[in-house]
Amino acid sequence: MKHSTPESLALPNLPRRQFVQGLAAGGALLGLSTWLKPAWAEQSNATTTGAAPILSGTEFDLTITEMPVNFTGSPRMATTINGSIPAPTLRWREGETVTIRVTNRMSVSTSIHWHGILLPYQMDGVPGISFPGIAPGETFTYRFKVEQYGTYWYHSHSGFQEQTGMYGAIIIDPAAGDSIHADRDHVVVLSDWTDEDPMAVFKKLKKQSDYYNFNEPTVVDFFRDVSSDGFASAMKKRHMWNKMRMSPTDLADVSAYTYTYLMNGMTPAGNWTGLFKPGERVRLRFISAGTQSYFDVRIPGLKMTVVHVDGQDVEPITVDEFRCGPGETYDVIVTPEDEAYTIFSQSTERTGYARGTLATKAGLSAAVPEVDEPQWLGMADMSGGMAAVAVRHAKTEYGPSVDMRVDKPRTNLDDPGIGLRNNGRRVLTYADLHTIGGPLDPRGAEREIELHLTGNMERYAWSIDGLSFGQSTPIHFRHNERLRVILHNDTMMAHPMHLHGMWSELESPNGEFMARRHTISVQPAQRISFLVTADALGRWAWHCHLLYHMYAGMFREVVVK
């Protein structure tokens, strides 16, 4: 991918802590200049941030508007649902039919997608796939029966509106009572905010894909390598990276150079706080709503027992830390005893973090860790391993849109990922996840589909099998067939892949059922497989949940008929 030479690494001298911390109180409208503020905003209040309001029942009215918000000291316009970031938490009950009227008060089209929810495809909320979108001034009514329970979320599927604030939680209470006992329950929505126009961010990435990467190898790193490994070895290492036209620090496209990381719509300085009484079992429902950010979550001083993933109960597993990719949800149980604990969620490239506090009363805080040192990608992340599998590269992978192909992928699920390996903490891996109850469908695969996640970092081009969405044709599933999907990552970035409308039942390298997911993260140079029962007729989206990757073309339409 891109060249990495010490001479090309002039980086901004960033006031890093300022970017990381944000304002202590977001949401206030402070001196918004007229060119950033439409006339109607003169009468509008600022966006509400912090713990979202909770709406429950079967009838909901959601209004989408643009409203001012201020996370960094520089007021900007946000896209909001009912005026808050995050949007209201929707509380449903399994088995009931919900009606949601969504009104668009903006001058552009919009949509809401119900992430992970099983429903008729016409209610899925993807413009151009399942419906035309919601035009300015229109109200669209979503209506469907709730067939599941658990922790989910919703967000816009139009343009970059998810980046500018359109996301919220869905909690569905089980009809038969909850099998997970908790004395207290907090939703924790993790997200990323930029003061820049997201389209400007995308254009910068197209011109220079490492624009926001200020962890690139430096001259200091080179001389450190010389000191530890010798000059010849250090030169060989640099030569290798340059020959492959790749950088070992391509962990994330967008960093705290522009992002302020949020927890429940609060900046780190704002310090969202969830209350508890000592000894209570507290359920924390983590929702990864970051558009371009993976979060590594831990609570120093507390063990977390993971009990529910992507809306599915899993066999409890106790860990110190877990990685939460865009689109995924993780519910954990903690039992705090002290007065305060920091919920620390650092970004994978280690430039910033979202932070909140669990406390016995408001105003308390605990020590906030420093972000870990960024780690470089290793050879296994670039070229895979030695898996003895037959790899099929499509002819369309051999072109300018693809700069890397992995012939010997790694298939292990017990790797927590770059930055979390051997860090001294017990870190959750996909190999730890076992959905209670086993697969929904006992049938084996009737056929296989193999798709490769592809890209060209230098061009900031993202695709599937070398074809962007605009170049592709739909993938066809036969109604009710059971098929195995193989996702093979031919890039050195992780991709959280989200199949709409149907479950993805992850299997081990040996073909054993592991976990039922709606979003599966495929690590660099990794090859994973899962089974799908194509029981949902209609047209569905399937894409990388890194928003800028999806926008660039890592997206497919699936047709079930």
Side-chain angles (χ1 to χ4, degrees), residues 223-335:
F223 284 109
R224 184 182 299 126
D225 287 346
V226 171
S227 176
S228 61
D229 305 326
F231 181 80
S233 176
M235 285 298 294
K236 182 179 179 182
K237 190 175 180 182
R238 290 305 167 95
H239 177 70
M240 176 191 73
W241 288 113
N242 289 340
K243 184 178 179 181
M244 293 191 297
R245 305 180 69 182
M246 297 174 180
S247 168
T249 64
D250 275 336
L251 303 178
D253 300 327
V254 189
S255 68
Y257 177 45
T258 190
Y259 272 162
T260 299
Y261 300 105
L262 305 177
M263 183 174 292
N264 284 338
M266 299 290 286
T267 67
N271 189 26
W272 172 81
T273 298
L275 300 180
F276 68 90
K277 293 180 180 178
E280 284 184 330
R281 280 171 57 90
V282 180
R283 182 174 185 169
L284 301 174
R285 301 176 186 259
F286 286 93
I287 296 172
S288 189
T291 55
Q292 203 67 18
S293 305
Y294 278 77
F295 291 100
D296 293 338
V297 180
R298 60 191 161 102
I299 307 175
L302 272 184
K303 294 284 187 182
M304 300 180 290
T305 300
V306 180
V307 293
H308 189 83
V309 176
D310 281 5
Q312 304 297 298
D313 294 341
V314 297
E315 294 176 11
I317 176 76
T318 299
V319 299
D320 299 309
E321 189 168 20
F322 64 90
R323 175 161 290 176
C324 199
E328 294 180 306
T329 71
Y330 289 83
D331 289 20
V332 305
I333 297 290
V334 295
T335 309

Side-chain angles (χ1 to χ4, degrees), residues 500-544:
H500 291 216
M502 291 157 277
W503 290 115
S504 302
E505 297 196 318
L506 182 68
E507 55 183 9
S508 73
N510 297 323
E512 299 160 336
F513 171 78
M514 299 292 292
R516 190 174 309 120
R517 308 296 306 271
H518 53 59
T519 307
I520 294 179
S521 189
V522 190
Q523 295 191 38
Q526 189 180 45
R527 180 182 175 96
I528 59 94
S529 64
F530 56 88
L531 296 183
V532 176
T533 296
D535 55 1
L537 288 167
R539 302 171 63 194
W540 302 98
W542 192 4
H543 59 89
C544 176

Side-chain angles (χ1 to χ4, degrees), residues 10-28:
L11 297 171
N13 181 19
L14 297 170
R16 183 174 171 187
R17 298 294 291 184
Q18 177 183 331
F19 282 111
V20 171
Q21 297 281 353
L23 291 181

Side-chain angles (χ1 to χ4, degrees), residues 90 100 112-117 119 123 142 144 153-154 170:
L90 304 182
I100 309 125
I112 290 182
H113 163 61
W114 317 99
H115 189 108
I117 302 298
L119 37 57
M123 298 289 107
Y142 296 85
F144 49 86
W153 65 298
Y154 64 106
I170 300 170

